[in-house]
Coordinates of all heavy atoms in Angstrom, one line a residue:
A98 N -0.9 1.4 0.8 CA -0.8 2.7 1.3 C -1.9 3.6 1.0 O -2.4 4.4 1.8 CB 0.5 3.3 0.8
F99 N -2.4 3.5 -0.2 CA -3.6 4.3 -0.7 C -4.8 3.9 0.2 O -5.5 4.8 0.7 CB -3.8 4.1 -2.2 CG -5.0 4.9 -2.7 CD1 -5.0 6.3 -2.7 CD2 -6.1 4.2 -3.2 CE1 -6.1 7.0 -3.2 CE2 -7.2 4.9 -3.8 CZ -7.2 6.3 -3.7
A100 N -5.0 2.6 0.4 CA -6.2 2.2 1.2 C -6.1 2.7 2.6 O -7.1 3.2 3.2 CB -6.2 0.6 1.2
I101 N -4.9 2.6 3.2 CA -4.7 3.1 4.6 C -4.9 4.6 4.6 O -5.6 5.1 5.5 CB -3.3 2.7 5.1 CG1 -3.3 1.2 5.4 CG2 -3.0 3.5 6.4 CD1 -1.9 0.7 5.6
A102 N -4.4 5.4 3.7 CA -4.6 6.8 3.7 C -6.1 7.2 3.5 O -6.6 8.1 4.2 CB -3.8 7.5 2.5
C103 N -6.8 6.5 2.7 CA -8.2 6.7 2.5 C -9.0 6.3 3.8 O -9.9 7.1 4.2 CB -8.8 5.9 1.3 SG -8.3 6.6 -0.3
D104 N -8.6 5.2 4.4 CA -9.3 4.8 5.7 C -9.0 5.8 6.8 O -10.0 6.1 7.6 CB -8.7 3.5 6.1 CG -9.5 2.9 7.3 OD1 -10.7 3.1 7.4 OD2 -8.9 2.2 8.1
R105 N -7.8 6.4 6.9 CA -7.5 7.3 8.0 C -8.1 8.7 7.7 O -8.1 9.6 8.6 CB -6.0 7.5 8.1 CG -5.4 6.2 8.7 CD -3.9 6.3 8.9 NE -3.6 7.0 10.1 CZ -3.4 6.4 11.3 NH1 -3.6 5.1 11.4 NH2 -3.1 7.1 12.3
N106 N -8.6 8.9 6.5 CA -9.2 10.2 6.1 C -10.5 10.0 5.4 O -10.7 10.2 4.2 CB -8.2 10.9 5.1 CG -6.9 11.2 5.7 OD1 -6.7 12.2 6.4 ND2 -5.9 10.3 5.5
P107 N -11.5 9.7 6.2 CA -12.8 9.3 5.7 C -13.5 10.4 4.9 O -14.4 10.1 4.0 CB -13.7 8.8 6.9 CG -13.0 9.5 8.0 CD -11.5 9.6 7.7
H108 N -13.2 11.6 5.1 CA -13.8 12.7 4.4 C -13.0 13.4 3.4 O -13.4 14.4 2.7 CB -14.3 13.8 5.4 CG -15.3 13.2 6.5 ND1 -16.5 12.7 6.2 CD2 -15.1 13.0 7.8 CE1 -17.1 12.2 7.2 NE2 -16.2 12.4 8.2
A109 N -11.8 12.8 3.2 CA -10.9 13.4 2.2 C -11.3 13.0 0.8 O -11.9 12.0 0.6 CB -9.4 12.9 2.5
D110 N -10.9 13.8 -0.2 CA -11.2 13.5 -1.6 C -10.2 12.4 -2.0 O -8.9 12.7 -2.0 CB -11.0 14.8 -2.4 CG -11.2 14.6 -3.9 OD1 -11.5 13.5 -4.3 OD2 -11.1 15.6 -4.6
E111 N -10.7 11.3 -2.4 CA -9.8 10.2 -2.9 C -8.9 10.6 -4.0 O -7.7 10.2 -4.1 CB -10.7 9.0 -3.3 CG -11.6 8.4 -2.3 CD -12.9 9.2 -2.1 OE1 -13.1 10.2 -2.8 OE2 -13.8 8.7 -1.4
R112 N -9.4 11.4 -4.9 CA -8.6 11.9 -6.0 C -7.4 12.7 -5.5 O -6.3 12.6 -6.1 CB -9.5 12.7 -7.0 CG -8.8 13.0 -8.3 CD -9.7 13.7 -9.2 NE -9.1 13.9 -10.5 CZ -9.4 13.4 -11.6 NH1 -10.4 12.5 -11.7 NH2 -8.8 13.7 -12.7
E113 N -7.6 13.5 -4.5 CA -6.5 14.3 -4.0 C -5.4 13.4 -3.4 O -4.2 13.7 -3.7 CB -7.0 15.2 -2.8 CG -5.9 16.0 -2.2 CD -6.3 16.8 -0.9 OE1 -7.5 16.8 -0.6 OE2 -5.4 17.4 -0.3

Side-chain angles (χ1 to χ4, degrees):
F99 180 63
I101 290 169
C103 287
D104 188 35
R105 293 182 80 88
N106 298 278
H108 303 294
D110 179 1
E111 299 84 354
R112 191 178 181 111
E113 177 187 356

